[in-house]
Amino acid sequence: MQLSSETVEILKNFSTIKEMIFVKSGNVIKTESVSQTVRAEATVEENFPSDFGIYDLKKFLAKLSLHRADGFTADIEFFPDKIKIADSEGKRANFIKLCPVDFIGYPEEMGDIEIHHEFVLSANDLAWISRSAAISGSPHYIFESKGDGNISMIATDIKDSSSDVSNLIIDSNDVHKDKMFRMVFSIQNFLSWCFIVTGK
Protein backbone atom coordinates (compact mmCIF):
# COMPACT_ATOMS: atom_id res chain seq x y z
CA MET A 1 0.00 0.00 0.00
CA GLN A 2 1.10 3.57 -0.70
CA LEU A 3 -0.28 6.66 1.05
CA SER A 4 -1.45 9.54 -1.13
CA SER A 5 -0.02 13.03 -0.61
CA GLU A 6 -3.44 14.16 0.66
CA THR A 7 -3.55 11.42 3.31
CA VAL A 8 -0.01 12.27 4.42
CA GLU A 9 -1.02 15.94 4.85
CA ILE A 10 -4.06 14.88 6.89
CA LEU A 11 -1.88 12.74 9.14
CA LYS A 12 0.54 15.67 9.57
CA ASN A 13 -2.37 17.80 10.78
CA PHE A 14 -3.56 14.99 13.04
CA SER A 15 -0.09 14.77 14.59
CA THR A 16 -0.49 18.35 15.86
CA ILE A 17 -3.59 17.26 17.80
CA LYS A 18 -2.23 14.07 19.31
CA GLU A 19 1.14 12.34 18.96
CA MET A 20 -0.43 8.88 18.84
CA ILE A 21 -3.12 7.53 16.54
CA PHE A 22 -5.20 4.37 16.30
CA VAL A 23 -6.61 3.60 12.84
CA LYS A 24 -9.40 1.09 12.27
CA SER A 25 -9.70 -0.96 9.10
CA GLY A 26 -11.45 0.93 6.32
CA ASN A 27 -11.07 4.44 4.95
CA VAL A 28 -11.98 6.67 7.92
CA ILE A 29 -9.31 8.00 10.29
CA LYS A 30 -10.00 9.91 13.52
CA THR A 31 -8.09 11.59 16.28
CA GLU A 32 -8.83 13.48 19.47
CA SER A 33 -6.62 15.58 21.73
CA VAL A 34 -5.72 14.27 25.17
CA SER A 35 -7.88 17.02 26.69
CA GLN A 36 -10.78 15.97 24.39
CA THR A 37 -11.20 19.60 23.25
CA VAL A 38 -10.14 19.06 19.62
CA ARG A 39 -11.36 16.27 17.38
CA ALA A 40 -10.85 15.56 13.69
CA GLU A 41 -12.14 12.96 11.27
CA ALA A 42 -11.25 12.33 7.62
CA THR A 43 -12.34 9.98 4.87
CA VAL A 44 -9.29 9.02 2.83
CA GLU A 45 -8.83 7.25 -0.49
CA GLU A 46 -6.89 4.35 1.02
CA ASN A 47 -8.66 1.33 2.47
CA PHE A 48 -6.62 0.10 5.43
CA PRO A 49 -6.71 -3.72 5.64
CA SER A 50 -6.53 -3.96 9.44
CA ASP A 51 -6.55 -2.00 12.70
CA PHE A 52 -3.21 -0.52 13.77
CA GLY A 53 -1.86 1.90 16.36
CA ILE A 54 1.14 4.21 16.03
CA TYR A 55 2.74 5.54 19.20
CA ASP A 56 4.69 8.39 17.57
CA LEU A 57 2.90 9.66 14.46
CA LYS A 58 5.50 12.35 13.69
CA LYS A 59 8.28 9.75 13.71
CA PHE A 60 6.24 7.51 11.41
CA LEU A 61 5.72 10.40 8.98
CA ALA A 62 9.43 11.28 9.11
CA LYS A 63 10.34 7.68 8.24
CA LEU A 64 7.77 7.72 5.43
CA SER A 65 9.25 10.96 4.09
CA LEU A 66 12.72 9.43 4.19
CA HIS A 67 11.60 6.65 1.86
CA ARG A 68 9.73 9.07 -0.43
CA ALA A 69 12.81 11.23 -0.94
CA ASP A 70 14.69 11.39 -4.26
CA GLY A 71 11.61 10.49 -6.25
CA PHE A 72 11.09 7.02 -4.77
CA THR A 73 7.76 5.72 -3.51
CA ALA A 74 7.19 4.28 -0.05
CA ASP A 75 5.43 0.94 0.15
CA ILE A 76 3.70 0.11 3.44
CA GLU A 77 3.03 -3.44 4.58
CA PHE A 78 1.07 -4.35 7.69
CA PHE A 79 1.99 -7.13 10.12
CA PRO A 80 0.31 -8.10 13.44
CA ASP A 81 2.96 -6.31 15.51
CA LYS A 82 4.61 -3.84 13.12
CA ILE A 83 4.44 -1.77 9.94
CA LYS A 84 7.11 -2.15 7.28
CA ILE A 85 8.04 0.87 5.16
CA ALA A 86 10.21 0.09 2.14
CA ASP A 87 11.28 2.13 -0.87
CA SER A 88 10.35 1.12 -4.40
CA GLU A 89 13.81 -0.34 -5.07
CA GLY A 90 13.44 -2.75 -2.16
CA LYS A 91 16.91 -1.87 -0.83
CA ARG A 92 15.87 0.07 2.29
CA ALA A 93 13.30 -0.79 4.94
CA ASN A 94 12.10 0.55 8.29
CA PHE A 95 9.96 -1.33 10.80
CA ILE A 96 7.63 0.60 13.13
CA LYS A 97 6.30 -1.30 16.15
CA LEU A 98 2.54 -1.08 16.62
CA CYS A 99 0.78 0.10 19.77
CA PRO A 100 -2.49 -1.31 21.26
CA VAL A 101 -5.71 0.72 21.18
CA ASP A 102 -6.15 0.59 24.97
CA PHE A 103 -2.93 2.57 25.30
CA ILE A 104 -3.75 5.14 22.59
CA GLY A 105 -7.53 5.43 22.88
CA TYR A 106 -10.05 5.89 20.08
CA PRO A 107 -12.59 8.75 19.77
CA GLU A 108 -16.11 7.71 20.68
CA GLU A 109 -18.92 8.25 18.22
CA MET A 110 -20.54 11.69 18.46
CA GLY A 111 -23.44 11.07 16.12
CA ASP A 112 -24.41 13.25 13.18
CA ILE A 113 -24.14 17.02 13.53
CA GLU A 114 -26.11 19.26 11.18
CA ILE A 115 -24.71 22.69 10.27
CA HIS A 116 -27.41 25.19 9.32
CA HIS A 117 -25.32 28.35 9.08
CA GLU A 118 -22.51 29.04 6.65
CA PHE A 119 -20.25 32.09 6.59
CA VAL A 120 -16.79 33.12 5.43
CA LEU A 121 -14.20 34.36 7.90
CA SER A 122 -11.62 36.42 6.03
CA ALA A 123 -7.93 36.40 6.94
CA ASN A 124 -8.09 40.16 7.68
CA ASP A 125 -11.05 39.76 10.04
CA LEU A 126 -9.39 36.83 11.81
CA ALA A 127 -6.16 38.82 12.18
CA TRP A 128 -8.05 41.83 13.63
CA ILE A 129 -10.01 39.90 16.23
CA SER A 130 -6.95 37.79 17.10
CA ARG A 131 -4.96 40.94 17.85
CA SER A 132 -7.84 42.42 19.84
CA ALA A 133 -8.23 39.20 21.84
CA ALA A 134 -4.50 39.14 22.55
CA ILE A 135 -4.54 42.74 23.83
CA SER A 136 -7.47 41.96 26.15
CA GLY A 137 -6.21 38.52 27.14
CA SER A 138 -9.53 37.02 26.05
CA PRO A 139 -9.59 33.19 26.23
CA HIS A 140 -12.78 32.54 24.21
CA TYR A 141 -14.26 33.11 20.76
CA ILE A 142 -18.04 33.10 20.38
CA PHE A 143 -19.92 32.77 17.09
CA GLU A 144 -23.39 34.13 17.68
CA SER A 145 -26.60 35.00 15.88
CA LYS A 146 -29.41 36.69 17.78
CA GLY A 147 -31.96 36.37 15.00
CA ASP A 148 -31.41 39.87 13.57
CA GLY A 149 -29.67 38.66 10.39
CA ASN A 150 -26.14 39.25 11.69
CA ILE A 151 -23.55 36.66 12.63
CA SER A 152 -20.94 37.98 15.03
CA MET A 153 -17.57 36.69 16.13
CA ILE A 154 -16.83 37.79 19.69
CA ALA A 155 -13.65 37.61 21.73
CA THR A 156 -14.20 37.65 25.50
CA ASP A 157 -14.01 35.62 28.70
CA ILE A 158 -17.31 33.78 29.18
CA LYS A 159 -16.47 33.15 32.85
CA ASP A 160 -16.00 36.85 33.67
CA SER A 161 -18.90 39.22 33.04
CA SER A 162 -16.62 42.23 33.56
CA SER A 163 -14.13 41.18 30.85
CA ASP A 164 -13.52 43.08 27.61
CA VAL A 165 -15.68 42.23 24.61
CA SER A 166 -14.47 42.50 21.00
CA ASN A 167 -17.30 42.21 18.48
CA LEU A 168 -16.92 41.61 14.74
CA ILE A 169 -19.88 41.20 12.37
CA ILE A 170 -18.71 38.58 9.88
CA ASP A 171 -21.97 38.14 7.95
CA SER A 172 -25.18 40.07 7.51
CA ASN A 173 -27.93 38.41 5.52
CA ASP A 174 -31.70 38.08 5.68
CA VAL A 175 -31.21 34.31 5.39
CA HIS A 176 -30.02 34.36 9.02
CA LYS A 177 -33.03 36.30 10.36
CA ASP A 178 -34.96 34.52 13.10
CA LYS A 179 -32.16 31.96 13.40
CA MET A 180 -30.39 31.94 16.74
CA PHE A 181 -27.29 30.09 17.85
CA ARG A 182 -24.22 30.52 20.07
CA MET A 183 -21.01 28.49 19.73
CA VAL A 184 -18.09 28.95 22.13
CA PHE A 185 -14.50 27.97 21.32
CA SER A 186 -11.34 28.11 23.37
CA ILE A 187 -8.97 30.47 21.53
CA GLN A 188 -6.11 28.14 22.46
CA ASN A 189 -7.69 25.35 20.40
CA PHE A 190 -9.49 27.39 17.75
CA LEU A 191 -6.71 27.65 15.16
CA SER A 192 -5.95 23.94 15.42
CA TRP A 193 -9.62 23.20 14.83
CA CYS A 194 -9.98 25.78 12.07
CA PHE A 195 -7.12 24.71 9.86
CA ILE A 196 -7.34 20.92 10.19
CA VAL A 197 -7.69 19.18 6.82
CA THR A 198 -10.81 17.09 7.33
CA GLY A 199 -10.73 15.13 4.11
CA LYS A 200 -13.49 14.45 1.61
Side-chain angles (χ1 to χ4, degrees):
M1 168 183 282
Q2 295 177 3
L3 296 185
S4 68
S5 296
E6 181 184 28
T7 299
V8 171
E9 287 303 311
I10 291 171
L11 289 172
K12 285 180 181 177
N13 279 297
F14 279 19
S15 72
T16 66
I17 299 172
K18 190 175 182 179
E19 293 180 355
M20 302 174 281
I21 190 169
F22 188 86
V23 178
K24 290 191 175 182
S25 60
N27 66 340
V28 176
I29 55 177
K30 302 178 182 181
T31 192
E32 183 178 60
S33 65
V34 175
S35 62
Q36 298 182 319
T37 55
V38 180
R39 174 179 290 202
E41 178 178 325
T43 301
V44 297
E45 60 184 78
E46 295 82 5
N47 198 334
F48 296 105
S50 59
D51 299 353
F52 63 93
I54 297 174
Y55 178 76
D56 190 333
L57 183 53
K58 288 183 179 179
K59 183 173 73 174
F60 169 80
L61 292 169
K63 293 282 190 179
L64 190 67
S65 177
L66 185 65
H67 285 278
R68 288 161 61 103
D70 302 322
F72 293 113
T73 58
D75 296 317
I76 299 174
E77 190 174 354
F78 295 89
F79 296 91
D81 62 338
K82 60 183 176 287
I83 293 176
K84 177 184 177 182
I85 308 173
D87 60 36
S88 53
E89 286 190 325
K91 293 171 59 177
R92 307 173 184 90
N94 271 291
F95 296 87
I96 308 292
K97 278 193 167 290
L98 297 181
C99 192
V101 65
D102 55 355
F103 185 83
I104 297 175
Y106 189 76
E108 296 179 2
E109 296 295 332
M110 292 182 64
D112 295 331
I113 300 174
E114 294 186 30
I115 300 175
H116 298 281
H117 308 279
E118 295 183 6
F119 53 83
V120 175
L121 177 60
S122 72
N124 286 339
D125 282 347
L126 179 59
W128 179 87
I129 201 162
S130 295
R131 287 195 298 267
S132 185
I135 293 169
S136 298
S138 302
H140 301 110
Y141 284 143
I142 301 171
F143 290 89
E144 184 174 67
S145 173
K146 295 184 177 180
D148 57 359
N150 294 326
I151 295 178
S152 295
M153 182 178 182
I154 301 163
T156 189
D157 185 345
I158 62 171
K159 297 180 180 179
D160 182 2
S161 59
S162 64
S163 64
D164 293 348
V165 176
S166 304
N167 190 83
L168 171 68
I169 296 176
I170 56 177
D171 197 10
S172 184
N173 194 313
D174 285 345
V175 172
H176 305 303
K177 279 191 173 179
D178 303 321
K179 295 180 180 179
M180 301 174 63
F181 64 87
R182 188 172 192 259
M183 298 180 293
V184 179
F185 295 88
S186 164
I187 289 178
Q188 182 178 358
N189 296 321
F190 177 76
L191 289 180
S192 296
W193 171 85
C194 189
F195 294 110
I196 288 169
V197 178
T198 54
K200 299 174 182 178

